Structure formats: structure tokens, C-alpha cells
Amino acid sequence: DGGITQSPKYLFRKEGQNVTLSCEQNLNHDAMYWYRQDPGQGLRLIYYSQIVNDFQKGDIAEGYSVSREKKESFPLTVTSAQKNPTAFYLCASSITGRASDGYTFGSGTRLTVV
Amino acid sequence: DAKTTQPPSMDCAEGRAANLPCNHSTISGNEYVYWYRQIHSQGPQYIIHGLKNNETNEMASLIITEDRKSSTLILPHATLRDTAVYYCIVRVGTIGGNKLVFGAGTILRVKS
């Protein structure tokens, strides 16, 4: 079945370490997105990519980096510059970036920095 | 910032219709209204979307007012499994493409 796979589901890291979250989709979608969710709050956009080798900053990009070398993959790196990295991270994709396209979400990665 | 306003929480009796309102008074003519729901610690699930006309699918109905400044999501026969956070979202157009901007959503509690 087609879908989006995020791994791992739970991730623990020490403060000051960079960590990379994986997001893979086999839906042949062009656009991919990363969101962050804090407890009791909605999702906030970190980065998004409309096409391979191109991406744009979202509303809270500071302390994060991404790459889009392949259509099916959009990894997110949480760097040591991110002041409060503990959160639930969600990856999504859509066929294109058109307003009429819905998103398909992954099941998320819960990152805890200790 | 999110372009929608939703009540923070609602209760609904099992088997009854759940009507979730959403205000989007600044919506532009080419912006779609989307509804997603999120069950605790899972990724959001697409429910329905629309532009001008009312829409219905196997999950829900979407009623959009004629002036497009508000909409209502209707779950016709709510079950306990429909307990979730429901997000009403206006698809925002940017230079780099369109994106979904999530607000805080409505916590729907379906009670037996």
C-alpha cells in the first residue's frame, strides 16, 4: 500500500546533538512538508518542498535543515541551534502544491532531548 | 497565523450528528477550506475539503455559507471513535506554493 513512513517513532537524543528524522513516501507526490506539534497545540510548518532539489522555509525554520535529493525522501535535521527541540514531528506530502490538493500525513516521530 | 476560528471544544452524544463550526471571514476567492482530524499521537487524517459548494463523502458533509465566511463540518452519526481534534484550515497561497496553516482546532468528545 502507498503511504508515508516516518522513522523512528520515538527518538531520544542528548542536548547539543544533531538528529535527523526520516520521511519516505511512495505515493509519487511532488510536494512534501514538515510540521512540528507541541502538546495541546496545532501544527506549525517548518519546511516544505514543491519539487526535488528545492525547498522553502516555513514559519519556524530556525534550528532546522532539510534536503530533497530524491522525490520520495525529505529528511529533517534538528540541529543544536534549535532551542527547544522536544516535540512531535509530522511529515506530509501532496500530489502538487495546488490549493485543491489534500495532504497525506505520516504517523509522526516523537523527539525527546534530554 | 491561522486564518480560521474554531470553538476550543464540543461534546456530542453517540449516534447523534456532530456539527463543528468554523469561521474564515478573510478567505480569498480561490482558497479552499479543508478539514482534518487528529487522534491522540497520530498524524492528521484528511476528512473533506471544498471551495464554494457543499460537499459530502463517506466520512462527513461540509456546508459552506454563500459568502464563504464560515463553514460547518457534519459527522452524521458520531461514534466514540470520532473523538479527536478537528482542524478547519484554509489553504494559503504563497510565492513558493500553497500550504496548510493549522490553528488550535476543536476537541470533539463523543460520549455514550
Side-chain angles (χ1 to χ4, degrees):
Chain A
D1 290 337
I4 297 183
T5 300
Q6 290 187 243
S7 61
K9 190 172 180 65
Y10 297 96
L11 188 57
F12 295 87
R13 279 294 181 269
K14 291 184 178 180
E15 191 172 349
Q17 289 182 336
N18 291 356
V19 60
T20 297
L21 282 59
S22 171
C23 179
E24 304 278 333
Q25 54 99 359
N26 60 3
L27 300 166
N28 200 32
H29 285 177
D30 288 309
M32 297 186 74
Y33 311 80
W34 273 106
Y35 285 87
R36 168 185 172 134
Q37 187 173 34
D38 292 287
Q41 298 186 29
L43 285 67
R44 292 184 291 167
L45 184 64
I46 305 173
Y47 267 99
Y48 61 106
S49 168
Q50 303 289 321
I51 195 171
V52 174
N53 292 322
D54 188 40
F55 48 83
Q56 288 80 40
K57 293 181 179 179
D59 301 315
I60 55 165
E62 186 176 352
Y64 299 96
S65 65
V66 293
S67 62
R68 187 84 188 280
E69 297 176 1
K70 299 186 297 182
K71 186 176 184 178
E72 58 271 21
S73 178
F74 191 40
L76 173 74
T77 297
V78 185
T79 75
S80 57
Q82 169 50 233
K83 300 300 182 188
N84 186 18
T86 295
F88 187 47
Y89 290 88
L90 286 156
C91 179
S93 70
S94 64
I95 296 175
T96 70
R98 289 200 303 263
S100 57
D101 295 333
Y103 286 17
T104 300
F105 280 87
S107 56
T109 292
R110 190 167 299 280
L111 173 65
T112 302
V113 175
V114 296
Chain B
D1 292 339
K3 298 182 65 174
T4 62
T5 303
Q6 299 177 252
S9 65
M10 293 181 64
D11 291 338
C12 178
E14 189 178 20
R16 303 297 294 269
N19 298 286
L20 290 84
C22 179
N23 287 322
H24 31 80
S25 58
T26 61
I27 192 170
S28 299
N30 60 349
E31 291 178 330
Y32 284 74
V33 178
Y34 279 81
W35 283 85
Y36 283 78
R37 72 180 183 184
Q38 186 178 26
I39 297 171
H40 183 63
S41 295
Q42 296 182 23
Q45 176 191 22
Y46 167 82
I47 301 174
I48 200 167
H49 74 283
L51 182 63
K52 295 180 182 179
N53 300 321
N54 298 338
E55 302 287 345
T56 296
N57 62 22
E58 64 278 4
M59 288 184 67
S61 294
L62 174 60
I63 308 299
I64 303 175
T65 58
E66 192 170 343
D67 62 8
R68 301 211 324 124
K69 292 185 177 181
S70 65
S71 61
T72 300
L73 177 75
I74 302 172
L75 307 178
H77 304 288
T79 70
L80 297 178
R81 289 179 294 179
D82 291 322
T83 293
V85 179
Y86 286 77
Y87 296 100
C88 169
I89 304 157
V90 169
R91 189 80 183 248
V92 177
T94 68
I95 295 175
N98 292 284
K99 57 183 181 179
L100 294 178
V101 178
F102 286 76
T106 295
I107 299 172
L108 175 67
R109 301 183 186 91
V110 180
K111 299 181 177 181
S112 59

